[in-house]
Amino acid sequence: MTTSTPGTLQELARAHMPAQDAERWIGLLKPGARLRRAREGERVVGLLGGEPRLPEGVEWPVWEGRGPLGFVAAVDCGAIRETAAGQGVDLPLRTDGWLAFFYYEDDEALEIVDAGDPRTWAGYRVLHLPVGYEELPRRATPEGAASYDEVPLTAEIGLTAPAGDAVAVARALGFREPTDEYAHPVGSDAFVEEVRRLAPSTHQLLGNADNVQGPVETEVARGVLGGVDWSDPRLEEEAQRWTLLAQFDSDEEAGMCWGDCGVLYWLIRPEDLAANRFEEARFTWQCC
């Protein structure tokens, strides 16, 4: 094992794992756009919170019988793709315009959006809005909807690492039991800490999801399959069909706190992403 500090995720894997396992893990890395507050002079590619800009005729998303959803974020697909291309990275994003993300937050936790319960799926939404979003009129947040402070976002393009408990990692490294992760270097504190250093968790578009508690792909798959038992053999296969579209962390500057400092996730099938069928995205959330 090397004593130097690895500078890339690939170097990290090769320093900690047997050669064959390292290459398999490296094969799971995905490019993504990490989103953080834009400093002065940096290109703004999205916004957390504030008031969204919606075209005339586009209604504010509502969960019928519950109330209007809160506006979480909007991201400029074309700007993010151009930023990635300028660094020689081809993101699997084939559209311009903006994606706007909405979620129903209930302060009293009486209504919870549950990935396993289709009756609650009206509590999240993704809208694909046109080019020229910046010129659209702002839409005032309706009464009853959660609102957040506006934070401008810029993008940092880079490889994202799969969580140690991801289904894809278990398959690639031949784990037979969930606890196998902890007996392998991929689950060691040293490896996990270095992954955090090289690929810190934040708001993100595309790439690998950063799980808070267990594989988010499995949670979405379970809902898609009709709330099957967690031991259902179909669950693993279905989980492999989903990839991260976006995740939004709790954010003190925006006044966002999802449960106990949790994260909101939108996942999508790659074929739907390629065809710009963002309405097919599915949602889950996790907290500590």
Side-chain angles (χ1 to χ4, degrees):
M1 183 176 296
T2 181
T3 57
S4 63
T5 302
T8 68
L9 291 169
Q10 295 93 327
E11 291 173 355
L12 175 65
R14 291 169 182 142
H16 281 260
M17 298 185 204
Q20 188 176 49
D21 284 359
E23 297 311 313
R24 288 172 175 169
W25 186 86
I26 289 169
L28 301 178
L29 300 177
K30 295 180 182 179
R34 296 186 186 90
L35 305 171
R36 61 163 175 79
R37 185 182 184 95
R39 294 186 284 266
E40 186 176 354
E42 292 182 319
R43 185 177 189 181
V44 174
V45 301
L47 297 165
L48 278 182
E51 294 180 337
R53 299 177 182 274
L54 299 178
E56 185 178 351
V58 173
E59 297 183 356
W60 188 287
V62 171
W63 184 355
E64 196 65 36
R66 303 294 188 273
L69 279 55
F71 170 62
V72 176
V75 293
D76 184 343
C77 297
I80 290 175
R81 192 177 63 251
E82 288 173 8
T83 300
Q87 298 179 29
V89 177
D90 181 24
L91 290 179
L93 194 59
R94 302 292 181 256
T95 187
D96 293 318
W98 290 61
L99 295 179
F101 297 85
F102 293 80
Y103 165 67
Y104 183 85
E105 183 182 20
D106 183 352
D107 289 338
E108 298 180 358
L110 299 177
E111 297 291 351
I112 297 176
V113 182
D114 182 353
D117 185 355
R119 296 172 299 178
T120 71
W121 291 358
Y124 64 86
R125 204 75 50 85
V126 182
L127 300 182
H128 187 194
L129 302 175
V131 174
Y133 174 86
E134 307 94 318
E135 306 303 321
L136 294 172
R138 289 185 180 271
R139 186 76 61 86
T141 301
E143 183 178 355
S147 61
Y148 312 100
D149 295 331
E150 185 172 286
V151 176
L153 299 173
T154 194
E156 294 179 346
I157 309 300
L159 288 174
T160 64
D165 57 4
V167 174
V169 171
R171 280 195 162 191
L173 301 183
F175 297 164
R176 295 183 179 276
E177 300 292 337
T179 54
D180 287 351
E181 170 201 349
Y182 302 107
H184 190 278
V186 77
S188 70
D189 289 344
F191 185 78
V192 171
E193 288 174 8
E194 283 298 290
V195 168
R196 291 286 188 202
R197 180 180 67 84
L198 294 170
S201 176
T202 183
H203 313 299
Q204 186 177 305
L205 188 73
L206 306 176
N208 284 294
D210 185 24
N211 306 329
V212 176
Q213 288 191 357
V216 291
E217 297 87 356
T218 303
E219 293 181 6
V220 165
R222 181 173 178 266
V224 170
L225 292 173
V228 298
D229 189 85
W230 290 104
S231 62
D232 192 303
R234 295 174 296 169
L235 206 52
E236 183 176 319
E237 291 297 328
E238 182 62 32
Q240 289 287 285
R241 298 188 62 198
W242 293 86
T243 189
L244 182 71
L245 174 60
Q247 67 179 49
F248 297 101
D249 208 338
S250 294
D251 191 292
E252 185 176 351
E253 289 187 89
M256 296 175 174
C257 187
W258 316 121
D260 187 5
C261 298
V263 181
L264 308 182
Y265 305 87
W266 277 264
L267 279 72
I268 194 168
R269 289 178 171 133
E271 60 268 27
D272 289 327
L273 176 60
N276 302 325
R277 293 191 291 262
F278 299 107
E279 70 279 3
E280 298 299 327
R282 295 291 178 265
F283 171 91
T284 191
W285 71 284
Q286 297 180 343
C287 66
C288 300

